[in-house]
Amino acid sequence: ETMPAVQRKLAVLRGAGSALIRMDPVRGTDLLLRHLRLALDSGDPVEAGRGLSWRLVGQAFLGGDPARLQALARRAEALAVQTGDVETRAMLHFGRGIAGYYEPGALDEFAQCIALFRDHASDAGYYNRAQAEMLSAVLRVFRGELLQVAHELPAHIDEAWARGDLCIVPMWAGAFSQIARLAVSDHVGAARDLARARAAWPDRAFTVQDFALFQGEMFQARYAGDTHGAWRICERYWQRFRASPLTRVAYVADWICLHRGEVATLHAATQPPRARAALLAVATRMAARKSLTPKLTVPLRAALAVAHGELDTALATLREGTRTMPALWAYAARHRLGRMLGGDE
């Protein structure tokens, strides 16, 4: 093929893959891998650098081996230095943020990605900056910055609607953003924005956006104390998730299992013995998922211990959570520990 034809094909593969990865990281990553192979074969250092950075993003979404992710990052870094390409550098920071999402440096990686796309014109910046901002907001919720994030969310949602970015609207309106808005008693506004996003997003498949909407609906039901409704939501989305490629996306699969296990445990407390046993069996299977980050399983493991009458195990698990979990969950673990002990420990 002539070089102009190769360049056109590279642009199509990168554009399509980087768009699709926002909805379906599995299929998007496949297109981006094809882009990377063609870029390496062509000898174009700019496209190769971009391809390596996007490969890092895709593999991080899928839960790749940390050593391989670090090797990818080093190769992308070398080409970013060689070419000075903004997209290579920005998406390298994005990929590092995803790869180390629960680590202290992730927020800084996203901040550098956002700054690069804000300060330099790039065809990749328009949507990927918003994605980095959204992922940063989720991390800030994890760190307990609920008031600040809650106050910023309506503007982010309005901006996304204004530019017609329907991919990001469900992620701002659902997911962990709901926790921030519920924490400041903005449950009416949160429910309104969630319903509007759900109506706009098709529900024929299961995408990253459906995952965010699932989380939003489930958090709303739990906030209302409707454990039966929360369980119905879990089961409705679970069937669609199980039939989708997103079972291979570590972040999505892990959180769906954690949410399903937690809601099953809560719902079990209201059920007769046979149904209770079946729900606790579901929760136990969810907690046993091998890929789960141990510190994130603390609430589910503690709830299961309480359900089985193993109070010493529950107390030990909650104490573990106060030391290891992100700030929001560590606070919740201390609160629950205090209630179980009859006072703050």
Side-chain angles (χ1 to χ4, degrees), residues 65-120:
D65 175 69
R68 295 187 65 182
L69 294 179
Q70 290 173 9
L72 271 172
R74 286 193 295 269
R75 292 180 67 190
E77 174 87 41
L79 284 173
V81 171
Q82 176 186 332
T83 65
D85 181 58
V86 170
E87 182 176 342
T88 299
R89 173 68 65 185
M91 294 314 297
L92 172 60
H93 288 303
F94 190 102
R96 283 173 170 163
I98 295 291
Y101 200 64
Y102 302 114
E103 302 304 320
L107 202 55
D108 182 61
E109 295 287 356
F110 288 125
Q112 292 187 66
C113 172
I114 292 164
L116 282 165
F117 280 140
R118 183 185 60 236
D119 298 338
H120 300 84

Side-chain angles (χ1 to χ4, degrees), residues 284-322:
T284 301
R285 290 198 301 275
M286 297 299 100
R289 181 178 168 85
K290 292 182 180 179
S291 69
L292 292 174
T293 303
K295 62 185 176 184
L296 298 180
T297 67
V298 165
L300 177 52
R301 287 188 283 123
L304 279 169
V306 170
H308 291 298
E310 300 167 358
L311 297 185
D312 287 343
T313 299
L315 292 171
T317 303
L318 290 170
R319 290 189 181 99
E320 172 193 337
T322 65

Side-chain angles (χ1 to χ4, degrees), residues 15-331:
S18 62
L20 187 56
I21 202 172
R22 302 172 73 214
M23 298 170 281
D24 182 343
V26 177
R27 293 188 174 99
T29 295
D30 179 66
L31 286 176
L32 290 166
L33 177 58
R34 290 165 61 186
H35 165 268
L36 173 59
R37 287 171 172 164
L38 182 59
L40 292 172
D41 288 344
S42 75
D44 183 329
V46 171
E47 287 292 344
R50 293 174 178 181
L52 286 166
S53 288
W54 276 108
R55 182 63 176 167
L56 173 63
V57 171
Q59 289 300 104
F61 270 130
L62 299 181
D65 175 69
R68 295 187 65 182
L69 294 179
Q70 290 173 9
L72 271 172
R74 286 193 295 269
R75 292 180 67 190
E77 174 87 41
L79 284 173
V81 171
Q82 176 186 332
T83 65
D85 181 58
V86 170
E87 182 176 342
T88 299
R89 173 68 65 185
M91 294 314 297
L92 172 60
H93 288 303
F94 190 102
R96 283 173 170 163
I98 295 291
Y101 200 64
Y102 302 114
E103 302 304 320
L107 202 55
D108 182 61
E109 295 287 356
F110 288 125
Q112 292 187 66
C113 172
I114 292 164
L116 282 165
F117 280 140
R118 183 185 60 236
D119 298 338
H120 300 84
S122 166
D123 59 356
Y126 195 59
Y127 294 105
N128 292 312
R129 190 183 95 183
Q131 193 89 351
E133 289 171 342
M134 183 276 301
L135 290 166
S136 294
V138 171
L139 277 178
R140 290 168 60 206
V141 169
F142 288 178
R143 296 181 185 198
E145 297 178 30
L146 301 176
L147 181 63
Q148 302 93 318
V149 172
H151 285 169
E152 296 165 9
L153 282 170
H156 281 300
I157 294 170
D158 288 346
E159 181 190 0
W161 280 113
R163 69 170 182 267
D165 189 355
L166 291 183
C167 281
I168 204 72
V169 165
M171 301 166 82
W172 279 123
F176 287 100
S177 301
Q178 284 282 319
I179 290 180
R181 297 182 75 176
L182 294 174
V184 298
S185 300
D186 185 20
H187 53 283
V188 174
R192 180 195 61 236
D193 286 331
L194 181 64
R196 187 183 178 199
R198 177 71 278 177
W201 188 260
D203 60 359
R204 292 184 296 273
F206 188 88
T207 61
V208 173
Q209 288 70 21
D210 291 287
F211 166 62
L213 292 166
F214 152 69
Q215 286 186 301
E217 292 177 31
M218 182 269 303
F219 287 141
Q220 283 274 338
R222 290 180 65 173
Y223 178 80
D226 182 8
T227 57
H228 182 64
W231 179 245
R232 287 202 310 271
I233 291 164
C234 284
E235 290 304 272
R236 185 174 78 248
Y237 279 97
W238 177 255
Q239 300 306 319
R240 290 167 55 197
F241 162 69
R242 291 290 296 162
S244 79
L246 268 66
T247 54
R248 293 172 53 196
V249 179
Y251 179 87
V252 173
D254 288 353
W255 276 111
I256 281 190
C257 288
L258 284 171
H259 293 320
R260 188 172 184 244
E262 289 169 4
V263 172
T265 307
L266 289 170
H267 190 40
T270 68
Q271 298 301 298
R274 182 174 294 181
R276 180 179 184 276
L279 286 163
L280 291 178
V282 168
T284 301
R285 290 198 301 275
M286 297 299 100
R289 181 178 168 85
K290 292 182 180 179
S291 69
L292 292 174
T293 303
K295 62 185 176 184
L296 298 180
T297 67
V298 165
L300 177 52
R301 287 188 283 123
L304 279 169
V306 170
H308 291 298
E310 300 167 358
L311 297 185
D312 287 343
T313 299
L315 292 171
T317 303
L318 290 170
R319 290 189 181 99
E320 172 193 337
T322 65
R323 299 189 304 272
T324 63
M325 296 189 76
L328 182 65
W329 281 271
Y331 173 82

